[in-house]
Amino acid sequence: MPSKAGCLGRSQAPPPQPPAHARLRPAGRMLRGHLNTDKDLALHPGSPPPDNKSPVKVSSEDPQAKAKPFTPKPPPPRPKLERALSLDEKGWRRRRFQTSQEDLAAQNGASPSRGSLQEGVPGPPAHTCSPPRLSSSLQEIPTSRRAPGRARGSPSSLGNSASLDLLYREGASAGSTPRLASGLPSCPLPALDWNFASNSLRTANKVDADHADYKLHLQTRLFRAHSSLGPGQPPSPLACDHCSLHSAKSSFSLLAPVRAKDVRSRSYLEGSLLASGALMGAEELARYFPDRSVGLFVATWNMQGQKELPPNLDELLLPAEADYAQDLYVVGVQEGCSDRREWETRLQETLGPHYVMLHSAAHGALYMSVLLRRDLIWFCSEVESSTVTTRIVSQIKTKGALGVGFTFFGTSFLFITSHFTSGDGKVSERLLDYSKTIQGLALPKNVPDTCPYRSDSADVTTRFDGVFWFGDFNFRLSGARVAVEAILKQDLGVSVPALLQLDQLTREMKKGSIFKGFQEPDIHFLPSYKFDIGKDSYDTTSKQRTPSYTDRVMYRSRHRDDICPIKYSSCPGIKTSDHRPVYGLFRVKVRPGRDNIPLAAGKFDRELYLIGIKRRISKEIQRQRALKTQHSSTVCTVS
């Protein structure tokens, strides 16, 4: 098909008139009228004069089309998108072209120029401004023709003036030779209804909701916004799409944000209690413990040197009476098993990945393990230990004491596990063991004393804020075996107070000859010694030892009411030894401290931690396999 520009340039004959049924549908609308090629074009400066022989014809369509709004037919659901050619490749390469019927209209002889009605339609502002849409037939307009002005309100000139003027400005800015004049009169659009624009106009710059990638993109955004705290949790402000410098403040995080001005105004006064941002200061303590108290678990167990360990330690470390696990676990063992590493691994395996082994020490058959919540290891000082041997003759250190001390925030702790001399009538020897221990433990060493003016060089228990002394003290019940068995047959609430009246340790503490300044929680359990291994019966051998409260937990506080006992009991389900484990749950007040202490810097037994985690995983896999095998081996019969 020959080009219109070529035909008009020769001016041999006027172009054929387009049929009257031709319609323009820019951006989903239908307009009546045509743009005649000769006098409808503006004369560009410097071009030859127009040919006067060319007739000037103005299309006169139905005048009601200019003012009467109507709703056009909606476009097809998925029209074929065709990109129009541009006058200037540099200026129009970045433009988007709206879906239209350009090629079909051009073949039918419609006006070659089409403007966007979106520029003149009154309505709410769009989010993005899209340029006018033009058909490829604009390149066919000759540069030597100029149209004088058309009648105002002509539908075909409404979009032409704005479109051609914009084309001229774009071409001039791009550096190309302008082909169209900018002097065409522009007429305002007639008043239109809000619902006049079709769906293609309203959603020209939006994502197609029917598109396959739209729903996937929407699901991805919603998942990312809610994935920071897991399913079912409120969305975190840190997961929003709008990032800013203020988005670091989250109300859903347990960790308070650190302000930049607080970091700039940090204090370098070592040991100052008023220092802002101090690691051991009041601000940090209130962040983790608003009530300034921690949960402490203390347990003692005489294992009788048995190699066999209980299959499960949940009853000991995680008793059913406690709804929550404690912050600090300290376990002392007397006559421990030969494989100390295996025992520590079992402790780590039972408590799981939330706890780490802060320190472990041994003195012969005496073991002590200190496990702490892993997020609290930064607030501990270096852990120091000391030992005392009370039986010099023995080659195997089964009797003696093991002490472990450290500072947590501003509160110093001392944990002592002891194994005193055994025997029913050797009370004086046990009192001597106590005196040797308080004088022989050389603690603290490098960690400074939190209250030196109240410390005594002859008593290690006076140098710490909180002291817990536990172990097999071997104090017995002074009554005969027959009398004790008669008391045990009574109700528990009656038998326990009657048995404590026969207890040697309770009697000596009242005298003040042992455990000065110490207290013991109220006892509401049966004697922990001596049982037949694997049974709930007391000694049935020929020795007929008297049941006794040999395993005890004592505590002492430098400040009054800093230690509050919560639970004090034994574990009757652990029967691998002739002793039952005894444990105590405490709430201990913690005070802010100074940053002048030697910090542990987050040190813990990493190798033991990894072994415990691997064991938990392997046991869980074995449990699942056993359940699967059990379900697959079940045979169902129908009668």
Side-chain angles (χ1 to χ4, degrees):
M1 178 177 179
S3 172
K4 291 185 181 182
C7 297
L8 295 178
R10 290 190 295 270
S11 301
Q12 293 179 0
Q17 295 297 326
H21 64 273
R23 299 292 188 268
L24 288 179
R25 299 178 181 178
R29 296 185 55 186
M30 299 176 58
L31 297 178
R32 299 177 181 271
H34 304 280
L35 174 64
N36 291 325
T37 57
D38 287 335
K39 291 193 176 183
D40 288 352
L41 299 178
L43 179 63
H44 189 279
S47 61
D51 191 357
N52 298 329
K53 297 180 181 181
S54 301
V56 178
K57 295 182 178 181
V58 178
S59 176
S60 60
E61 295 293 334
D62 188 3
Q64 295 180 358
K66 298 181 294 181
K68 182 179 180 180
F70 64 95
T71 304
K73 296 181 179 180
R78 293 192 180 184
K80 181 179 179 181
L81 301 178
E82 294 182 7
R83 182 178 179 182
L85 301 177
S86 61
L87 291 177
D88 192 342
E89 210 43 46
K90 293 183 180 179
W92 290 86
R93 183 173 299 176
R94 299 183 301 273
R95 294 192 174 277
R96 294 178 55 190
F97 294 89
Q98 191 175 0
T99 305
S100 60
Q101 306 280 345
E102 291 90 356
D103 296 337
L104 181 60
Q107 293 177 5
N108 294 336
S111 175
S113 62
R114 299 184 181 186
S116 174
L117 290 177
Q118 212 168 1
E119 297 179 356
V121 177
H127 294 285
T128 56
C129 299
S130 58
R133 278 72 176 172
L134 301 174
S135 67
S136 60
S137 60
L138 280 175
Q139 296 192 59
E140 302 173 3
I141 299 178
T143 59
S144 59
R145 300 300 180 194
R146 179 176 181 179
R150 297 200 52 170
R152 295 184 180 272
S154 177
S156 61
S157 66
L158 295 178
N160 291 336
S161 60
S163 302
L164 297 180
D165 188 25
L166 181 59
L167 279 177
Y168 176 78
R169 292 196 303 268
E170 292 270 341
S173 61
S176 60
T177 304
R179 300 180 183 180
L180 302 176
S182 59
L184 292 177
S186 59
C187 300
L189 289 173
L192 301 176
D193 293 339
W194 282 95
N195 59 352
F196 184 80
S198 65
N199 292 332
S200 61
L201 284 177
R202 291 195 296 266
T203 62
N205 300 314
K206 297 180 181 179
V207 181
D208 188 4
D210 297 332
H211 198 270
D213 295 338
Y214 176 76
K215 295 182 179 180
L216 179 62
H217 175 68
L218 183 61
Q219 292 176 0
T220 304
R221 290 183 60 187
L222 290 177
F223 177 76
R224 289 177 181 175
H226 292 267
S227 62
S228 60
L229 291 176
Q233 298 292 337
S236 172
L238 300 179
C240 60
D241 295 336
H242 305 284
C243 299
S244 64
L245 293 177
H246 303 286
S247 62
K249 185 177 182 180
S250 172
S251 60
F252 302 102
S253 175
L254 295 179
L255 295 178
V258 180
R259 296 179 297 183
K261 64 178 184 179
D262 293 339
V263 179
R264 289 193 299 266
S265 61
R266 60 190 180 275
S267 174
Y268 293 96
L269 299 177
E270 184 181 24
S272 175
L273 287 174
L274 301 178
S276 176
L279 180 62
M280 302 294 182
E283 294 180 0
E284 201 74 12
L285 177 60
R287 180 179 301 180
Y288 286 87
F289 302 101
D291 58 347
R292 292 193 175 186
S293 63
V294 298
L296 176 62
F297 175 92
V298 178
T300 177
W301 185 26
N302 189 323
M303 301 177 67
Q304 201 185 10
Q306 297 290 334
K307 295 182 180 180
E308 179 185 0
L309 294 177
N312 196 330
L313 295 178
D314 289 347
E315 183 183 354
L316 172 61
L317 301 178
L318 304 170
E321 295 83 4
D323 295 334
Y324 300 95
Q326 306 305 306
D327 301 311
L328 180 63
Y329 282 82
V330 182
V331 181
V333 172
Q334 306 84 38
E335 298 183 15
C337 60
S338 57
D339 193 350
R340 171 191 163 199
R341 192 63 173 177
E342 176 65 21
W343 165 247
E344 295 173 354
T345 304
R346 293 291 302 276
L347 295 176
Q348 178 70 73
E349 177 188 351
T350 304
L351 292 179
H354 296 287
Y355 295 84
V356 295
M357 182 72 73
L358 178 65
H359 185 77
S360 63
H363 178 58
L366 293 174
Y367 304 155
M368 185 182 294
S369 303
V370 180
L371 294 99
L372 183 71
R373 287 186 57 173
R374 63 186 183 188
D375 47 353
L376 301 177
I377 59 177
W378 304 102
F379 311 109
C380 296
S381 68
E382 293 181 353
V383 184
E384 302 172 334
S385 62
S386 179
T387 60
V388 172
T389 301
T390 57
R391 184 183 293 182
I392 306 298
V393 180
S394 176
Q395 297 295 330
I396 302 177
K397 298 180 178 63
T398 59
K399 299 297 188 291
L402 171 62
V404 172
F406 62 93
T407 298
F408 182 71
F409 279 99
T411 302
S412 57
F413 289 95
L414 174 64
F415 300 94
I416 305 174
T417 181
S418 298
H419 194 185
F420 292 166
T421 304
S422 61
D424 292 343
K426 297 184 179 180
V427 177
S428 58
E429 286 81 353
R430 288 188 278 271
L431 298 178
L432 182 61
D433 294 340
Y434 167 79
S435 299
K436 290 182 178 179
T437 301
I438 62 175
Q439 298 175 9
L441 288 178
L443 292 173
K445 299 177 181 178
N446 299 322
V447 179
D449 193 345
T450 56
C451 193
Y453 64 90
R454 298 181 61 180
S455 300
D456 185 0
S457 58
D459 189 352
V460 67
T461 61
T462 61
R463 306 171 202 157
F464 293 84
D465 297 323
V467 181
F468 294 86
W469 199 330
F470 46 96
D472 183 2
F473 300 144
N474 264 321
F475 285 96
R476 311 298 175 88
L477 296 180
S478 57
R481 170 69 184 263
V482 178
V484 173
E485 287 182 348
I487 297 176
L488 290 174
K489 292 179 181 180
Q490 300 178 7
D491 184 71
L492 184 63
V494 178
S495 61
V496 171
L499 292 175
L500 293 178
Q501 293 179 0
L502 304 176
D503 182 49
Q504 296 176 353
L505 180 57
T506 303
R507 188 183 305 159
E508 296 298 328
M509 288 183 65
K510 291 180 179 179
K511 294 180 180 179
S513 57
I514 192 174
F515 291 116
K516 298 177 181 179
F518 281 84
Q519 303 179 59
E520 183 181 15
D522 295 335
I523 298 177
H524 300 285
F525 55 91
L526 296 176
S528 59
Y529 172 85
K530 173 187 183 15
F531 287 89
D532 294 331
I533 296 178
K535 300 179 181 179
D536 291 330
S537 59
Y538 288 100
D539 188 16
T540 58
T541 63
S542 58
K543 295 184 178 180
Q544 292 288 307
R545 293 185 177 91
T546 303
S548 302
Y549 293 98
T550 58
D551 307 283
R552 314 285 277 267
V553 177
M554 305 289 173
Y555 66 91
R556 173 179 177 174
S557 177
R558 176 180 286 174
H559 304 279
R560 186 178 180 181
D561 298 333
D562 274 7
I563 300 177
C564 177
I566 304 299
K567 181 69 176 179
Y568 190 39
S569 181
S570 64
C571 300
I574 299 180
K575 307 174 184 180
T576 57
S577 172
D578 59 348
H579 290 256
R580 296 290 187 261
V582 175
Y583 67 90
L585 301 179
F586 302 90
R587 295 298 297 178
V588 183
K589 291 184 180 179
V590 180
R591 289 174 169 78
R594 306 174 186 269
D595 288 350
N596 60 346
I597 63 175
L599 295 175
K603 296 178 182 178
F604 66 96
D605 196 333
R606 181 176 179 273
E607 181 181 358
L608 182 69
Y609 181 83
L610 296 178
I611 294 175
I613 299 304
K614 291 179 181 179
R615 285 198 179 184
R616 288 177 67 95
I617 295 174
S618 61
K619 285 189 175 182
E620 180 64 21
I621 294 176
Q622 293 176 3
R623 187 186 66 85
Q624 293 179 358
R625 288 178 179 176
L627 291 176
K628 184 177 180 181
T629 304
Q630 181 180 2
H631 293 317
S632 61
S633 61
T634 303
V635 179
C636 297
T637 59
V638 179
S639 57

